[in-house]
């Protein structure tokens, strides 16, 4: 499963530095707007301590973790929805991701230019979100021009689409992102909404770039789904050895972001383990055993017979696959089984 998370924000809030420390890739980082023109792309591992334990149990030759693709999208500015600051190109890049991580500057530093010459996190969020809302309203307006003609002709599909368009337009005009509304839609309404590729229908996670991790944020910031990072410290940590980090009593919090992004997308992990490799497989929460098998190969879903399943904690307690079978903690599951996060599975096809 290929997953893309777009990193957005105003210029000079720490987006490209965050991308650098997430991916360990050198990126163009300068103290002026629009230094990132083309989006940088990097693959980030989702930290999971269970992998190493399963690998040790199976004496695996290699470990393959779950990953997320992060896309560093150039800084948005006020007026992006009308094409300001290469806005149209940036908005198209955002359309292509599955979720949005919005980096918000909370730290004070007179040496780093703020595009509006002040540090007001709440206002920065409103600027970004307003541009995305305006872009979505334009998308809906264009779609309505096409759909209304078919609706007047009495076409059933067009009438259903007009209802969805009106609901979305009302939500956006009220200044609310479309995500929560779409999540509450019935299946057919969701299908229509997904076809619109609305920017604000994507799940949002806020990264507050702070200079003091332990300092409380304002209630308006705390209530949003978020992760706090001192991105400058994270940049310094990647230049240090593990011994130096331990000696100074420091700890990276980047794993919090990868895990939060993973959860934001409604994802979970199951494992396969053996001598050749121990691997984490990414699936949607609520997936059946055959759907989980499809992450490995389409045949695993189409030709599914049954699956041997045990949760990783039970397998680690047993000490081996055969011991788990003898203890009765290894189960045979059929097509209706809903996979749980942390399951270890062998598929029978």
């Amino acid at each position: 499963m290929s997953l893309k998370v777009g990193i957005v924000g105003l210029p000079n809030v720490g987006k490209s530095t965050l991308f650098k420390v997430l991916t360990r890739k050198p990126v163009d980082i300068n103290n002026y707007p629009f230094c990132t023109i083309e989006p940088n792309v990097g693959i980030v591992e989702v930290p999971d301590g269970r992998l190493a334990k399963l690998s040790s149990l199976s004496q695996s030759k290699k470990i393959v973790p779950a990953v997320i693709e992060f896309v560093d999208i150039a800084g948005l500015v006020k007026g992006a929805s009308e094409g300001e600051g290469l806005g149209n190109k940036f908005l198209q890049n955002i359309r292509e991701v599955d979720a949005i991580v919005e980096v918000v500057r909370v730290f004070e530093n007179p040496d780093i230019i703020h595009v509006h010459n002040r540090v007001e996190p709440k206002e920065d969020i409103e600027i970004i979100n307003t541009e995305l809302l305006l872009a979505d309203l334009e998308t809906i307006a264009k779609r309505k021009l096409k759909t209304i003609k078919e609706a007047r002709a009495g076409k059933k599909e067009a009438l259903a689409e007009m209802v969805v368009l009106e609901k979305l337009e009302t939500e956006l005009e009220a200044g609310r992102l479309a995500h929560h509304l779409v999540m509450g839609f019935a299946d057919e309404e969701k299908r229509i909404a997904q076809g619109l590729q609305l920017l604000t229908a994507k799940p949002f996670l806020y990264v507050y770039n702070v200079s003091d991790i332990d300092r409380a944020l304002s209630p308006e910031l705390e209530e949003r789904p978020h992760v706090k990072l001192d991105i400058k410290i994270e940049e310094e940590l990647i230049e240090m050895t593990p011994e130096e980090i331990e000696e100074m009593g420091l700890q990276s919090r980047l794993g919090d972001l990868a895990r939060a992004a993973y959860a934001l997308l409604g994802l979970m992990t199951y494992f396969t383990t053996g001598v050749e490799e121990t691997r984490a497989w990414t699936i949607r929460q609520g997936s059946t055993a055959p759907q989980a098998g499809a992450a490995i190969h389409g045949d695993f879903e189409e030709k599914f017979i049954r699956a041997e399943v045990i949760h990783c904690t039970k397998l680690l307690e047993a000490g081996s696959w055969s011991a788990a079978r003898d203890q009765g903690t290894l189960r045979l599951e059929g097509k209706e089984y809903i996979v749980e996060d942390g399951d270890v599975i062998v598929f029978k096809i």
Side-chain angles (χ1 to χ4, degrees):
M1 181 180 286
S2 178
L3 305 162
K4 284 187 178 181
V5 176
I7 303 176
V8 305
L10 293 174
N12 298 341
V13 297
K15 291 186 311 79
S16 292
T17 306
L18 173 60
F19 181 84
K20 172 187 172 184
V21 298
L22 277 170
T23 63
R24 304 298 198 268
K25 288 176 64 173
V27 295
D28 190 7
I29 301 170
N30 286 290
N31 188 22
Y32 57 85
F34 312 124
C35 89
T36 308
I37 303 300
E38 294 297 330
N40 296 301
V41 179
I43 304 298
V44 180
E45 296 181 3
V46 179
D48 194 328
R50 298 173 295 184
L51 273 170
K53 294 176 182 177
L54 288 170
S55 175
S56 176
L57 179 77
S58 301
Q59 302 281 294
S60 303
K61 295 176 183 176
K62 66 177 180 177
I63 295 176
V64 183
V67 296
I68 295 177
E69 185 175 325
F70 279 89
V71 183
D72 176 26
I73 297 169
L76 284 170
V77 295
K78 190 172 183 177
S81 60
E82 300 172 355
E84 290 294 325
L86 303 181
N88 291 333
K89 184 174 181 59
F90 300 166
L91 293 172
Q92 182 54 42
N93 289 333
I94 298 172
R95 275 186 220 286
E96 295 169 0
V97 302
D98 300 300
I100 295 172
V101 165
E102 187 171 323
V103 182
V104 181
R105 176 173 171 177
V106 180
F107 70 89
E108 298 275 358
N109 187 332
D111 296 328
I112 299 178
I113 302 165
H114 188 289
V115 70
H116 296 300
N117 296 314
R118 85 287 180 276
V119 177
E120 293 289 348
K122 187 170 178 289
E123 290 182 20
D124 289 356
I125 290 171
E126 288 173 356
I127 289 170
I128 295 290
N129 291 358
T130 296
E131 294 308 319
L132 302 181
L133 286 164
L134 290 172
D136 282 350
L137 282 167
E138 183 180 354
T139 297
I140 288 173
K142 288 179 179 177
R143 186 63 167 258
K144 284 179 73 175
L145 288 174
K146 173 180 177 291
T147 306
I148 198 167
K149 296 177 183 177
E150 297 176 352
R152 285 172 178 165
K155 291 186 178 181
K156 185 178 178 181
E157 295 82 0
L159 290 168
E161 184 169 298
M162 279 301 296
V163 171
V164 173
L165 291 172
E166 294 287 355
K167 288 181 180 179
L168 288 165
E169 189 172 53
T170 299
E171 188 79 354
L172 295 170
E173 286 178 342
R176 295 187 292 267
L177 305 181
H179 177 65
H180 291 297
L181 178 65
V182 172
M183 291 300 291
F185 277 167
D187 289 345
E188 181 58 21
E189 289 180 314
K190 275 184 184 175
R191 185 191 65 77
I192 294 169
Q194 287 166 355
L196 298 170
Q197 289 190 299
L198 297 180
L199 303 170
T200 66
K202 300 177 187 295
F204 275 68
L205 177 69
Y206 296 87
V207 170
Y208 298 135
N209 189 3
V210 301
S211 55
D212 184 353
I213 289 288
D214 298 321
R215 183 179 176 183
L217 301 170
S218 68
E220 296 92 341
L221 297 183
E222 288 284 4
E223 68 187 11
R224 301 173 187 268
H226 70 275
V227 173
K228 288 195 292 185
L229 292 176
D230 184 333
I231 296 176
K232 182 62 179 173
I233 290 292
E234 296 291 346
E235 183 182 25
E236 293 172 2
L237 288 177
I238 64 173
E239 305 297 332
M240 298 168 63
T241 65
E243 292 75 20
E244 289 172 329
I245 293 172
E246 184 177 355
E247 184 178 336
M248 295 183 68
L250 299 174
Q251 183 180 5
S252 172
R253 293 177 181 253
L254 290 179
D256 295 346
L257 174 56
R259 282 186 288 267
Y262 203 66
L264 182 73
L265 288 163
L267 304 175
M268 65 180 192
T269 299
Y270 77 87
F271 304 104
T272 54
T273 186
V275 174
E276 290 302 314
E277 70 173 26
T278 292
R279 181 185 290 256
W281 298 93
T282 301
I283 58 172
R284 300 282 178 194
Q285 294 173 9
S287 294
T288 62
Q291 289 169 338
I296 300 175
H297 194 283
D299 283 352
F300 281 50
E301 181 173 18
E302 295 169 13
K303 301 177 181 180
F304 179 91
I305 298 174
R306 62 184 182 276
E308 287 188 314
V309 182
I310 183 172
H311 195 271
C312 63
T313 54
K314 294 291 186 183
L315 178 58
L316 291 168
E317 287 171 5
S320 70
W321 198 261
S322 59
R325 182 179 286 112
D326 293 341
Q327 294 170 13
T329 51
L330 185 64
R331 312 184 310 276
L332 281 178
E333 299 288 357
K335 293 182 178 181
E336 304 302 317
Y337 176 68
I338 303 299
V339 176
E340 296 183 6
D341 182 75
D343 277 348
V344 183
I345 304 178
V346 173
F347 294 93
K348 308 293 184 181
I349 62 172

